[in-house]
C-alpha cells in the first residue's frame, strides 16, 4: 500500500471509531474531533511506518484533543471487531 492510500485508510478508520463513540456518547464534538484527527493524519510525519498513535513518540495532538481521542480509542477499539471486523483485523495485524 502506498503512503497516500495508507493515509486515506487511516482517516477512514479514525472517522469510523469517532462515529462509533459518538453514537453512544455526547461528550465530544464529533465533527471537530474528526476534522482535527484528519488534519493530524494528513500532516503525520510518521505515516510511512505508523502503527497506532498511542505508540508514537511525537504525540502531535493537543492535550484536550489527545484526551478526547484516547476516550474514543478506549471505547471504540475493542468494539471495532464487531462493527467493522475486516478493518479491525487488518488494523490489529498492522500494529
Ligand atoms: S500522534 Fe504520531 S502517529 Fe499519530 S498522527 Fe501524530 S505524529 Fe502521526
Amino acid at each position: 500500500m502506498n503512503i497516500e492510500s495508507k493515509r486515506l485508510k487511516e482517516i477512514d478508520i479514525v472517522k469510523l471509531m469517532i462515529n462509533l463513540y459518538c453514537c453512544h456518547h455526547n461528550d465530544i464534538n464529533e465533527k471537530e474531533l474528526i476534522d482535527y484527527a484528519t488534519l493530524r493524519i494528513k500532516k503525520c510525519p510518521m505515516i510511512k511506518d505508523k502503527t497506532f498513535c498511542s505508540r508514537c513518540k511525537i504525540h502531535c495532538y493537543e492535550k484536550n484533543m489527545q484526551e478526547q481521542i484516547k476516550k474514543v480509542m478506549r471505547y471504540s477499539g475493542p468494539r471495532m471487531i464487531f462493527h467493522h471486523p475486516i478493518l479491525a483485523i487488518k488494523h490489529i495485524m498492522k500494529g
Side-chain angles (χ1 to χ4, degrees), residues 40-41 44-47 50 52-53 56 58-61:
R40 297 317 329 150
I41 294 168
C44 177
M46 310 297 286
I47 195 71
K50 174 183 184 307
F52 300 109
C53 286
C56 176
I58 296 175
H59 289 302
C60 68
Y61 280 62

Side-chain angles (χ1 to χ4, degrees), residues 8-11 17-18 25 53 67 73 79 82:
L8 293 174
K9 186 66 76 184
E10 292 274 337
I11 291 169
M17 295 179 85
I18 295 169
H25 304 82
C53 286
E67 284 166 9
M73 295 299 155
R79 289 165 177 83
F82 302 111

Side-chain angles (χ1 to χ4, degrees), residues 14-49:
V14 82
K15 280 182 186 173
L16 288 170
M17 295 179 85
I18 295 169
N19 289 153
L20 181 57
Y21 180 89
C22 289
C23 282
H24 302 276
H25 304 82
N26 57 8
D27 60 339
I28 65 171
N29 180 323
E30 182 176 4
K31 183 182 179 324
E32 183 184 41
L33 187 57
I34 286 175
D35 288 349
Y36 186 84
T38 298
L39 188 62
R40 297 317 329 150
I41 294 168
K42 283 183 177 171
K43 294 186 170 200
C44 177
M46 310 297 286
I47 195 71
K48 183 171 170 280
D49 303 312

